[in-house]
Structures are given as C-alpha cells and as structure tokens.
C-alpha cells in the first residue's frame, strides 16, 4: 500500500499528520508504562480517559521537610500533537490551588523546562519530579506570584 502523495511526490500532510500522531501516541503509551513502573514516591499521572491519550491528570505530593509536606496537588497535562518536540501544557488544578512563588492564581507554572529549556528527552516522569522539586525550591528570581515569593523570602511570615 502506498501513501497518498501530492504533485511533488511527497506524502500529503494528512498522512504525515497521522504518522506523527501515531508516534506521539506510541511515545505517550511508553511514558505511561514507565511512570506506572516507576518507584518514585509522591508522583502519578494517567490519561483522563481511555479515549484520549493527550489529556492527563496527575498528582504531586509535597516533598517532606517543606511547607507542602502532607499536601497533594492535582495537575492537568495537555500534550500537543507535536510532543515531544514541544512541551506539554501543565497547570495546577484550581480546585486544589497551590500557593507558591512559581504558580499563578490560574494554576499556570513558571518552570524553565516547560518553556525555553524544554528538550524532547524529557518525559512525564522527569517533569513530575521537577515540579515536585520546585515545590520545595522555588525560583524567586522569576516569580509568577510576587506575594508568595515575598513570603518565601521571609519565612517568619509563613
């Protein structure tokens, strides 16, 4: 069976799109299996439904010895069709808000590996570990929540 081709004898965008969609689905399936087999405490993530592998719900537990110890936060993960070449969009669920210097009131996250430092070698597992680490070690030089950053800088206010 041959692929549909345009006049320049290249695969059409629909065939290329479905091929890339299949490779993204395969990658996400592998990442899900790796995450399920992982022994990393305090992190988990799964697709919202069996019908859509591109939207996940995750949980991050606060690291011990931090203000977030014994707290669990839900996150939403949306994978773009060109993942892993483009990072997923990750937000904290506003139903379980996270008051943190690098999280805004809408759940948006300021984390360099989700922006300009993104690399296709990162996985859901490494992202979740980075987010868990961020809870205990915020980047106050680039806060999304200035009020939380000010409190963090003077812990007696907490």
């Amino acid at each position: 069976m041959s692929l549909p081709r345009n006049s320049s004898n290249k695969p059409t965008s629909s065939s290329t799109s479905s091929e890339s969609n299949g490779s993204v689905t395969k990658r996400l399936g592998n990442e899900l299996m790796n995450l399920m087999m992982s022994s990393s405490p305090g992190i988990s993530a799964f697709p919202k439904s069996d019908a859509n592998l591109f939207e996940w719900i995750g949980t991050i537990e606060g690291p011990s010895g931090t203000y977030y110890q014994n707290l669990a936060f839900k996150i939403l993960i949306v994978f773009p069709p060109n993942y892993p070449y483009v990072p997923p969009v990750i937000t904290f669920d506003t139903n379980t808000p996270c008051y943190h210097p690098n999280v805004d009131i809408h759940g948006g996250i300021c984390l360099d590996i989700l922006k300009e430092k993104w690399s296709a070698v990162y996985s859901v597992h490494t992202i979740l570990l980075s987010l868990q680490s961020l809870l205990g070690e915020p980047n106050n030089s680039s806060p999304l929540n200035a009020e939380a950053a000010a409190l963090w800088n003077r812990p007696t206010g907490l």
Side-chain angles (χ1 to χ4, degrees):
M1 182 176 133
S2 64
L3 295 173
R5 300 198 179 265
N6 61 20
S7 60
S8 66
N9 207 25
K10 293 181 180 173
T12 63
S13 63
S14 65
S15 66
T16 305
S17 175
S18 63
E19 288 171 13
S20 66
N21 210 10
S23 65
V24 173
T25 301
K26 183 177 180 180
R27 163 90 183 236
L28 289 173
N30 287 338
E31 289 196 33
L32 178 59
M33 289 302 292
N34 290 338
L35 192 58
M36 289 176 11
M37 302 294 279
S38 149
S39 61
S40 300
I43 60 169
S44 65
F46 300 94
K48 283 174 82 170
S49 74
D50 291 337
N52 185 356
L53 201 57
F54 288 81
E55 292 184 18
W56 293 22
I57 297 175
T59 302
I60 299 174
E61 295 176 8
S64 60
T66 70
Y67 296 113
Y68 302 99
Q69 181 174 327
N70 300 322
L71 297 175
F73 300 96
K74 294 216 180 301
I75 58 169
L76 308 172
I77 307 170
V78 178
F79 297 95
N82 50 349
Y83 177 81
Y85 304 107
V86 173
V89 175
I90 302 179
T91 55
F92 279 89
D93 184 343
T94 56
N95 293 321
T96 57
C98 180
Y99 189 75
H100 186 277
N102 303 116
V103 179
D104 68 21
I105 61 170
H106 305 289
I109 302 165
C110 181
L111 181 61
D112 58 357
I113 68 163
L114 295 176
K115 307 272 189 252
E116 72 278 357
K117 300 271 187 185
W118 174 254
S119 169
V121 300
Y122 293 135
S123 66
V124 176
H125 184 251
T126 57
I127 294 167
L128 295 177
L129 288 174
S130 294
L131 287 172
Q132 189 179 48
S133 176
L134 184 69
L135 287 177
E137 301 171 20
N139 178 359
N140 277 349
S141 65
S142 178
L144 281 179
N145 183 335
E147 182 182 87
L151 282 174
W152 194 279
N153 286 331
R154 53 180 175 85
T156 56
L158 297 174

